[in-house]
Amino acid sequence: LDVQFDVSAIVTRESEPYHRWLRASEVRMQRCRACGYLRPPASDDCPECLSQDAVWEILSGRAKVETYIWYFQDILDRRFTQEWAYRQVPYNVALVKMLEGPRVITNIDNCQFSELRVGAMLRPLFVPISPEFAILRFELS
Amino acid sequence: MRGREVAIIGVGATVAGTHPGMTPDQLGMHAFKEAINDAGISKSTIDGLLGGASSGAGTVPEKFAARIGINPKITQSLAYPSSAFTLHHAAFLIYSGMCEVVACVFARNPPGAMEALSGPPIYNAAHGLINANAVAALGFSQYMARYGASEQALADVVVAARQYACLTPGAAYREPLTFDEYFAAPFLVWPYRSFDIAKAMAGGVAVIVARRSIARQCASKPVYLEAYGRRQATRGWENDEHLLCWPMKDVAKQVYGQSGLRPKDIDVLAIYDATSGIVLQTLENYGFCGDGEAKDFVKDGRIAPGGDVALNTFGGHLAGGYLFGWFHHVEIVRQLRGVCGERQRANARIAQFCTTGGMREHYASTIFVTE
């Protein structure tokens, strides 16, 4: 681990299965059994039909970059906040669209500034944050 | 809601920037006294007081009402208390018949004024999405890739804002900025440099609104609310093109539909510029130019003093003063009253405010007119 993760700030009651499946190297999201809507973020409730009945469906893990930014300076000014950063600069943050449709905020690892492009295809990386949980990052495929 | 039933009758403001040792209530009091004097009303006529306490550094309406010695019918702050949303709420209270005169008082003195970036610090802890304005940067990165815009368009916005701030007494940044200085700055969060992101600031603004029958008897020229547009895109990036801020296109239909006005009719435009890039997206989504055309719309000084388009004529959040869009409203009123000196837009009669907030889920716009 390159940083210390505050698991309690990342894993919520509703997202706990998501992060547990990621620790087992599987990308799973909830598909509503009533209307078929595939959702993130993890939620008790389907925002389309309001059903609580959902199954954690396995996804391909493949995704495409919709947009990204690069942090070149650590902008979390510790004079003014007690909170703490999680990455060493430079690092990117990207919004990616899974092949199956949902979008997630993530990082594209193992990649330089000049290599990252909108539209780039991605494969998943499963990054452990504790013995039980992981988060989803990607790399260029 | 019919237009011209509610008007801004008075405005007051502190200077923008730093106010060492001053409390939000002290800043709010300064602005409030100026606003009631501007309107020429007695404070006892105020039957609604709105504020912005949820930012953690603002005035609490219930307490501020006691400080100014009134017992209004309503004291309230919104969960998202930025300017247009609060001003609309004041108008709703008047349309409903509950209130006749509503004061909106917003003041704050956050730590790190003029140094810290504006906006909440952490948006996604797991992936390091730090600072609200990084979400706007994500949107502008997507916009650049879609339309081939470059950093030059951002520089055009930033430099013009500085030029207007130099003409505005009380503005936060009153030193000129050259294009060379802009491009020499390092990237903070690519594609944004520090210049592209508004800084947290101290200051206070009071805006008093009243029903039409009262507005016509006030000391200063009333500025009427002509049309209101709103959208809450709460599902975020579950919606396609969320970061391109396309919900603005819907808000534009509302305000232009209600008023019968068009972008070409707007004499003075004020855009909630927490970052430079949102100015370009706003110009396009409201139809001031076509999709992808904003880079040409802003070039060659067209939005700078003396240019064709009067945009954020006090310097906006980027250079004039960051206070959740409240200084924008003070400027709109002063422009429509024709008291802005060398930065005054000739024959300004119609103004529009357009705002975006949060993770790009809050949208509002207002059109203002004089009689």
Side-chain angles (χ1 to χ4, degrees):
Chain A
L1 300 187
D2 58 348
V3 287
Q4 190 70 40
F5 286 97
D6 178 358
V7 173
S8 67
I10 297 170
V11 179
T12 66
R13 181 184 61 77
E14 289 174 310
S15 75
E16 187 185 314
Y18 172 71
H19 292 288
R20 206 179 285 283
W21 286 116
L22 289 176
R23 191 68 178 85
S25 299
E26 289 187 355
V27 181
R28 288 182 185 250
M29 292 181 186
Q30 290 160 294
R31 187 179 291 282
C32 177
R33 274 198 234 254
C35 77
Y37 184 70
L38 182 64
R39 63 182 188 254
S43 169
D44 291 336
D45 312 301
C46 174
E48 291 290 318
C49 75
L50 312 187
S51 168
Q52 284 71 48
D53 190 10
V55 59
W56 285 91
E57 181 173 292
I58 190 162
L59 305 189
S60 67
R62 300 278 166 162
K64 188 161 88 171
V65 175
E66 283 211 338
T67 186
Y68 61 93
I69 53 179
W70 283 88
Y71 286 81
F72 284 107
Q73 297 174 47
D74 181 355
I75 63 169
L76 196 65
D77 195 326
R78 282 156 193 81
R79 287 177 300 170
F80 309 125
T81 176
Q82 299 301 308
E83 299 184 79
W84 44 284
Y86 293 74
R87 308 298 307 268
Q88 296 296 312
V89 295
Y91 69 91
N92 63 62
V93 174
L95 178 68
V96 310
K97 185 172 168 112
M98 310 296 298
L99 285 196
E100 293 84 357
R103 296 180 177 90
V104 293
I105 283 286
T106 186
N107 313 109
I108 317 300
D109 282 0
N110 309 320
C111 136
Q112 304 294 312
F113 177 75
S114 60
E115 296 172 317
L116 191 51
R117 291 279 183 277
V118 169
M121 299 304 295
L122 305 167
R123 60 175 173 246
L125 291 172
F126 304 95
V127 180
I129 59 172
S130 78
E132 296 85 26
F133 303 118
I135 59 173
L136 179 61
R137 290 185 191 161
F138 291 86
E139 62 184 358
L140 298 173
S141 68
Chain B
M1 295 184 296
R2 286 172 52 203
R4 305 190 199 193
E5 293 295 324
V6 174
I8 298 176
I9 59 171
V11 293
T14 68
V15 301
T18 60
H19 291 275
M22 296 283 280
T23 67
D25 281 349
Q26 288 174 307
L27 298 169
M29 179 63 83
H30 177 100
F32 176 74
K33 286 167 78 173
E34 191 174 300
I36 56 173
N37 288 337
D38 183 36
I41 60 164
S42 159
K43 67 185 171 69
S44 63
T45 63
I46 293 168
D47 53 8
L49 180 68
L50 305 182
S54 74
S55 58
T59 46
V60 179
E62 304 84 80
K63 296 199 166 125
F64 197 76
R67 185 175 291 277
I68 61 176
I70 62 171
N71 295 296
K73 286 179 175 169
I74 302 272
T75 56
Q76 198 174 2
S77 63
L78 302 181
Y80 183 72
S82 117
S83 55
F85 303 89
T86 301
L87 184 68
H88 285 187
H89 205 71
F92 302 158
L93 291 175
I94 292 170
Y95 275 105
S96 74
M98 173 59 82
C99 295
E100 304 228 304
V101 181
V102 180
C104 305
V105 180
F106 196 97
R108 65 198 306 255
N109 195 349
M114 300 275 285
E115 295 178 55
L117 302 180
S118 59
I122 305 261
Y123 267 74
N124 184 309
H127 299 288
L129 182 56
I130 308 293
N131 188 265
N133 299 297
V135 180
L138 275 169
F140 194 72
S141 172
Q142 184 175 11
Y143 172 92
M144 286 170 70
R146 175 81 56 98
Y147 297 115
S150 72
E151 301 149 28
Q152 177 63 45
L154 300 178
D156 285 323
V157 171
V158 170
V159 169
R162 275 297 182 100
Q163 288 175 315
Y164 267 123
C166 289
L167 302 178
T168 307
Y173 292 94
R174 301 201 65 198
E175 316 82 40
L177 179 76
T178 66
F179 282 99
D180 286 346
E181 287 168 327
Y182 174 88
F183 285 110
F187 287 113
L188 204 62
V189 182
W190 181 92
Y192 284 163
R193 295 166 167 85
S194 180
F195 289 127
D196 295 300
I197 300 175
K199 304 303 178 292
M201 285 185 206
V205 165
V207 172
I208 299 175
V209 298
R211 69 165 58 256
R212 177 186 183 81
S213 56
I214 294 169
R216 297 182 77 164
Q217 297 163 21
C218 284
S220 301
K221 187 177 181 179
V223 168
Y224 291 92
L225 283 69
E226 175 75 351
Y228 310 79
R230 296 281 285 270
R231 181 61 61 195
Q232 294 291 110
T234 60
R235 293 186 71 175
W237 37 68
E238 277 186 284
N239 301 326
D240 289 336
E241 317 297 6
H242 176 68
L243 291 173
L244 296 177
C245 301
W246 282 11
M248 287 178 183
K249 293 173 187 282
D250 169 52
V251 176
K253 276 187 194 147
Q254 295 175 46
V255 290
Y256 298 135
Q258 285 165 35
S259 65
L261 297 166
R262 293 292 175 267
K264 66 175 170 48
D265 300 317
I266 305 301
D267 300 315
V268 174
L269 178 60
I271 295 176
Y272 191 103
D273 55 336
T275 70
S276 56
I278 197 65
V279 172
L280 303 159
Q281 292 179 288
T282 302
L283 288 168
E284 294 180 8
N285 289 331
Y286 280 88
F288 288 86
C289 57
D291 289 347
E293 295 174 2
K295 61 183 185 296
D296 298 315
F297 189 86
V298 302
K299 73 180 182 186
D300 300 330
R302 285 195 70 229
I303 59 167
D308 298 341
V309 183
L311 168 62
N312 287 352
T313 49
F314 69 108
H317 281 150
L318 292 168
Y322 180 84
L323 200 67
F324 297 83
W326 283 114
F327 286 122
H328 293 68
H329 285 84
V330 173
E331 178 71 5
I332 281 171
V333 169
R334 290 176 178 165
Q335 283 281 345
L336 294 185
R337 288 178 179 169
V339 297
C340 287
E342 54 185 327
R343 69 181 192 282
Q344 177 65 45
R345 188 66 171 185
N347 305 315
R349 293 176 45 253
I350 302 170
Q352 184 177 5
F353 180 70
C354 307
T355 187
T356 317
M359 299 269 281
R360 319 286 84 180
E361 69 269 37
H362 308 291
Y363 295 95
S365 184
T366 319
I367 291 177
F368 299 90
V369 297
T370 53
E371 281 208 292

